[in-house]
Amino acid sequence: MDADAAWRTVSDFAEPTVAVVKHNNPCGLATREVIAEAYELAYEGDTVSAFGGIVAINRTVDAKTAQAMDAIFYEVVIAPGYDDDALAILQRKRNLRILTVGSEPSGKALDLRPISGGMLVQGADDIEENPTEWKTVTEREPSATERQDLAFAWKAAKHIKSNAIVFAKDRALVGMGAGQPNRVVSVHLSQRIAGDRAKGAVLASDAFFPFPDNIELAAEAGITAIAQPGGSVRDEEVIAAADKAGLAMVFTGVRHFRH
């Protein structure tokens, strides 16, 4: 299940991307033109949680990337292929499952959840989105760099269990909060993991902010821009809090809310 979650995460990105997944949640995620650099940044997303995790890479693994993974204990590495030198390095590691992935199956994907006496079935969260259509609701527009990071963070949040919060900077996850019963705790967790890296980062929330306290906490952490679905009865209060803090905020109009 973790390997599938990791592969689904990186498959959502057209660019070279690496994910480190633990208990179905990406604790590290990064996009770079050089896959070894993407791995290093993904690992740095949360070096503690990465131990015993699953690494997914959406490009052929080269020797430099495999060598970078050599010192860390992972359960699984999954990718579309491996260079011969990379495979030799990875095969030296004890108890590592090395998986290759073929073409994606055709047909509509379904998301299944067992319940007492039955099963819930819904379509997979594969909505096509265009970040250029997101609505800026604050006085300040996001910069071009912020927009790039917001698109990355929003896609990352889709793969993290709700209540999901993502801090991202320079197309890399620097903090995340997952599976919390309230969104404020997820912001706190993201801030704790990110530390000083939160300064100048952006935030994505998989569902709307019902209260302005999340915005205030994000601003204190150093967040400069936010992506969220919008749709709360208190949207105006939340927007006012963002304006007061000088943040840029966009409404995506889509809620992911993974369970």
Side-chain angles (χ1 to χ4, degrees), residues 134-151 200-205 209 214-215 218-219 222-228 238-252:
W134 292 348
K135 180 182 178 183
T136 302
V137 294
T138 47
E139 295 171 357
R140 184 172 78 80
E141 290 271 353
S143 68
T145 299
E146 287 172 334
R147 284 190 180 278
Q148 184 180 58
D149 282 344
L150 286 170
V202 306
L203 178 155
S205 173
F209 287 123
N214 298 275
I215 305 296
I223 293 297
T224 63
I226 293 173
Q228 59 133 322
V238 171
I239 293 168
D243 281 333
K244 183 179 179 180
L247 306 184
M249 185 162 64
V250 298
F251 282 2
T252 66

Side-chain angles (χ1 to χ4, degrees), residues 13-14 43 51 60 75 89 93 101 132 159 194 196 240 251-252:
F13 291 82
Y43 169 68
F51 181 85
T60 298
E75 295 277 5
I89 293 168
K93 293 173 68 68
V101 179
T132 63
H159 296 279
D196 290 340
F251 282 2
T252 66

